[in-house]
């Protein structure tokens, strides 16, 4: 995983041209993060030199563009904490372990840089991402309920409910451990 300048990185543009449907929307969401000025994009390339996996690592000093981009969606970060957001496995590298490998490298880099904890948010129905997060050591800690309507934004952190625990256990392949 190497850090790339989101403003000049063209991998997402190339991927957008190759996708449609839900994948198109997922790439577009990452492009909006780029346009919002969220820094510290990391990309892992495959053996062919093409991008395999991308993810942002947002620290306390870089969090403000993220809060401007998605007001109230993420908790404020502590000095030794990172938010890992915008994870994306490029279509040519799906089902090859690119997420687990890239995320593991990114976590090692964060740890070597002084981070002591990390957060990541995954949609409850995204079994592949939940599996990947579990593979690198993340645990289900809480849920975020996001209410978005014109003129109204609110995010509430909640303890996991029975449905979230069931999805986690199926995706992670191991029991939920209350934190």
């Amino acid at each position: 995983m190497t850090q790339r300048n989101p403003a000049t990185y063209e991998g997402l543009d190339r991927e957008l041209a190759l996708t449609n449907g839900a994948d198109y929307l997922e790439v577009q969401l990452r492009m909006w993060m780029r346009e919002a000025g969220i820094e510290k994009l990391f990309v892992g390339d495959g053996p062919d030199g093409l991008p395999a996996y991308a993810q942002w690592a947002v620290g306390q000093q870089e969090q403000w563009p993220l809060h401007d981009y998605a007001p109230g969606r993420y908790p404020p970060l502590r000095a030794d904490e990172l938010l890992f957001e915008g994870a994306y496995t490029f279509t040519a590298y799906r089902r090859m372990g690119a997420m687990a490998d890239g995320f593991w490298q990114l976590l090692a880099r964060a740890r070597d840089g002084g981070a002591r904890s990390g957060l990541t948010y995954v949609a409850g129905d995204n079994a592949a991402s939940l599996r990947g997060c579990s593979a690198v050591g993340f645990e289900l800690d809480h849920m975020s309920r996001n209410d978005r309507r014109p003129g109204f934004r609110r995010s509430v952190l909640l303890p996991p409910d029975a449905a979230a625990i069931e999805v986690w256990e199926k995706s992670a392949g191991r029991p939920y451990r209350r934190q």
Side-chain angles (χ1 to χ4, degrees):
M1 296 291 284
T2 58
Q3 188 172 350
R4 307 285 174 89
N5 179 346
T8 59
Y9 180 65
E10 297 178 355
L12 293 170
D13 301 284
R14 288 191 300 270
E15 182 78 356
L16 189 68
L18 299 172
T19 60
N20 56 44
D23 284 333
Y24 184 90
L25 178 59
E26 290 299 322
V27 176
Q28 187 63 56
L29 290 169
R30 275 92 186 144
M31 293 180 76
W32 289 333
M33 288 179 66
R34 176 180 75 184
E35 291 166 14
I38 301 167
E39 297 293 329
K40 294 208 177 173
L41 171 64
F42 292 84
V43 179
D45 293 333
D48 56 5
L50 295 175
Y53 180 73
Q55 188 165 20
W56 276 263
V58 180
Q60 185 182 48
Q61 298 301 313
E62 304 88 29
Q63 69 182 318
W64 307 115
L66 182 69
H67 292 305
D68 290 342
Y69 165 72
R73 186 175 188 134
Y74 303 102
L77 299 171
R78 298 184 318 260
D80 64 348
E81 185 173 54
L82 290 177
L83 173 69
F84 300 97
E85 191 57 44
Y88 183 79
T89 302
F90 288 77
T91 53
Y93 282 90
R94 302 258 170 96
R95 300 184 189 272
M96 296 180 167
M99 178 190 182
D101 182 55
F103 206 170
W104 187 255
Q105 290 179 47
L106 189 53
L107 289 170
R109 186 181 186 132
R111 185 178 46 253
D112 293 347
R116 302 203 32 92
S117 67
L119 300 168
T120 191
Y121 290 93
V122 178
D125 62 351
N126 189 338
S129 288
L130 289 169
R131 196 169 31 258
C133 289
S134 170
V136 298
F138 277 88
E139 296 288 343
L140 175 61
D141 180 75
H142 61 269
M143 299 177 1
S144 176
R145 187 184 74 221
N146 300 300
D147 298 320
R148 303 282 187 262
R149 294 185 294 281
F152 179 80
R153 293 175 182 245
R154 178 179 64 187
S155 293
V156 180
L157 301 181
L158 304 165
D161 60 18
I165 291 169
E166 181 180 352
V167 169
W168 169 261
E169 290 179 338
K170 284 182 181 177
S171 300
R174 59 188 165 88
Y176 164 69
R177 291 182 285 181
R178 187 166 306 280
Q179 303 296 311

